[in-house]
Amino acid sequence: MLVVLCTVRFREGVGLRNGRRLLTSVPATELATKHELHSQIRRCRLSLFRFVVPSLLAICITGSACGQASKTQSSPAEVEVPKEEREGVWQSTAGGVQVPLWPANVPLAKPDTGDQLEATGNGTGLIGGRRWRWVSYVTRPTMTIYKPKGRNTGTTMLVLPGGGFSVVATDLEGTEICDWVVQQGMTCAMLKYRVPQAWPKVDGKQQRPKVLLALKDAQRAMGLLRQRASSYGIDPHKIGVIGFSAGAYLAAAMSNTEDRTYPIADAADQQSPRPDFAIVAYTARMLDNSKGRNHLELQPWVKISAKAPPTLILHAMNDDMDDIRQPMAYALALNDAGVAVDLRVYAKGGHAFGMRPTADPITTEWPGQVKQWLHNIGLL
């Protein structure tokens, strides 16, 4: 059965990345008008891929819930899926110890929502038959430590969830990844970084913020892991990152610089912020797509260093959120710089699949690809 998915574009400044991924915390009053929505619905086309992105308003014609096929037929209908949001600080799952990145007395730059209290919520689309959860309005970032089950290889993976820099996808691209990591004998640290932070547009082209709060938090987390290596039972020279979507951009940014993006405050900031290995899954914000489909040039804010660590890149050809040219451009640039880079590309999988099994082989095979790659470079 086909799921009919209508991708609704919103007024500029409301949606993320040209309206393809909508900031879940935007008030409903800022959405496109009813007339605009209906005019776009008429232009929607049948789609075979599942609904994997969050939104406040999803217009779907389906046999069941929005974004999931049903075994029974029903008449087409517009389904309005409300935003779900609850005020409160995100709490770690069982086995995790959440620790602050910065001392409480250290003032931090605020996300776009200022002092708005932290909140958690659910994305309205289903991934692997389940909703996914997020946290936003993060003003005090943390990392949550999960210890390995059984043997301890000494290797650590810092997990950088996606969410378009508007939310942090805490389970799909966070705790669920850590569940797998610790089963491989590694320590896992999931980063809850400061969001939301919009990427501005200049002359219609997206720009990276001059100060990227999430990158500051990621670099701080790497320094803390290295400084506390003995207490965490980890090897300070075997700490890598795995990032998804927006988090994949962070992984790439961390890989290509040793310069911190904030003043050194303590001993943790004396440690190198560069990871020892990097895994980049369905990466974003790398390609300069203003020059046409036959060009693979990186955005001016993407810097490549010959000192970048060994890198594994994962992507699906039918990712309609982040074109396959995104990882191709990054892989070629790393290769040109002499960096060891592996690229694993699957025909299907879409975007934001995390580690939840679906009919697409990438969702069940990529963890094995990562495990083998880590063996190949001597980390497992």
Side-chain angles (χ1 to χ4, degrees):
M1 177 178 179
L2 294 180
V3 176
V4 182
L5 170 63
C6 296
T7 301
V8 180
R9 295 185 180 273
F10 298 89
R11 289 175 179 167
E12 184 176 359
V14 176
L16 290 178
R17 295 156 63 188
N18 299 322
R20 300 302 298 276
R21 184 168 186 161
L22 182 67
L23 173 62
T24 54
S25 59
V26 173
T29 55
E30 296 183 24
L31 295 177
T33 66
K34 185 176 181 181
H35 174 76
E36 290 172 327
L37 290 175
H38 282 290
S39 66
Q40 291 185 62
I41 292 166
R42 288 192 294 269
R43 294 194 296 268
C44 287
R45 301 168 62 187
L46 283 175
S47 172
L48 291 174
F49 58 85
R50 66 189 182 280
F51 181 64
V52 296
V53 294
S55 62
L56 291 179
L57 188 62
I59 307 299
C60 299
I61 302 173
T62 175
S64 181
C66 178
Q68 188 180 40
S70 170
K71 296 181 181 180
T72 59
Q73 294 281 355
S74 63
S75 59
E78 286 186 13
V79 179
E80 183 175 309
V81 183
K83 178 182 69 172
E84 296 185 15
E85 180 178 315
R86 295 163 294 281
E87 186 177 292
V89 176
W90 176 82
Q91 300 298 318
S92 67
T93 54
V97 178
Q98 188 171 191
V99 296
L101 294 185
W102 311 85
N105 62 349
V106 174
L108 297 178
K110 299 288 196 305
D112 292 347
T113 45
D115 290 318
Q116 184 168 342
L117 296 177
E118 189 171 306
T120 60
N122 293 337
T124 53
L126 300 179
I127 301 176
R130 293 181 287 141
R131 289 189 177 187
W132 60 276
R133 296 177 176 82
W134 52 259
V135 63
S136 193
Y137 322 129
V138 177
T139 58
R140 303 304 300 189
T142 66
M143 65 176 177
T144 300
I145 308 296
Y146 295 87
K147 294 296 185 68
K149 302 289 180 66
R151 71 188 184 100
N152 184 355
T153 64
T155 300
T156 300
M157 196 174 290
L158 176 62
V159 177
L160 309 172
F165 295 109
S166 63
V167 300
V168 177
T170 50
D171 59 353
L172 176 70
E173 297 164 351
T175 58
E176 293 174 12
I177 307 303
C178 282
D179 289 343
W180 179 85
V181 169
V182 298
Q183 291 172 5
Q184 315 310 312
M186 295 180 282
T187 296
C188 189
M190 191 208 85
L191 183 66
K192 182 182 77 173
Y193 50 87
R194 280 173 283 177
V195 287
Q197 185 176 21
W199 285 44
K201 283 190 174 182
V202 177
D203 297 329
K205 291 188 64 176
Q206 187 181 66
Q207 304 293 318
R208 203 195 92 158
K210 292 182 179 179
V211 177
L212 188 57
L213 301 181
L215 181 57
K216 287 186 176 185
D217 296 337
Q219 290 184 322
R220 173 69 177 177
M222 182 61 67
L224 286 174
L225 288 170
R226 289 202 164 107
Q227 184 205 20
R228 299 173 181 176
S230 59
S231 61
Y232 288 152
I234 63 178
D235 187 332
H237 305 295
K238 296 170 64 177
I239 304 175
V241 293
I242 180 169
F244 301 84
S245 194
Y249 169 76
L250 291 177
M254 293 177 70
S255 296
N256 288 283
T257 183
E258 286 184 340
D259 296 330
R260 289 193 176 272
T261 54
Y262 60 91
I264 292 176
D266 55 24
D269 294 335
Q270 301 286 350
Q271 304 290 328
S272 171
R274 194 197 302 273
D276 297 307
F277 63 90
I279 302 164
V280 174
Y282 39 91
T283 189
R285 303 168 193 264
M286 306 281 282
L287 177 72
D288 184 353
N289 54 15
S290 66
K291 299 181 180 180
R293 294 172 60 85
N294 294 326
H295 291 266
L296 291 174
E297 296 182 30
L298 296 172
Q299 293 280 11
W301 60 76
V302 180
K303 306 302 180 183
I304 301 298
S305 169
K307 295 181 179 180
T311 300
L312 173 64
I313 300 175
L314 305 163
H315 214 90
M317 289 292 292
N318 70 339
D319 185 338
D320 78 316
M321 181 78 68
D322 289 307
D323 191 278
I324 184 61
R325 292 164 183 78
Q326 296 269 359
M328 289 176 62
Y330 184 50
L332 289 171
L334 288 177
N335 185 68
D336 288 345
V339 177
V341 55
D342 287 71
L343 180 61
R344 306 284 191 270
V345 178
Y346 285 74
K348 296 181 180 180
H351 188 83
F353 42 79
M355 202 173 275
R356 295 183 180 179
T358 71
D360 296 323
I362 190 173
T363 62
T364 54
E365 294 179 10
W366 80 258
Q369 297 275 358
V370 169
K371 184 176 181 179
Q372 184 60 55
W373 180 75
L374 290 171
H375 274 290
N376 293 347
I377 62 175
L379 291 170
L380 282 184

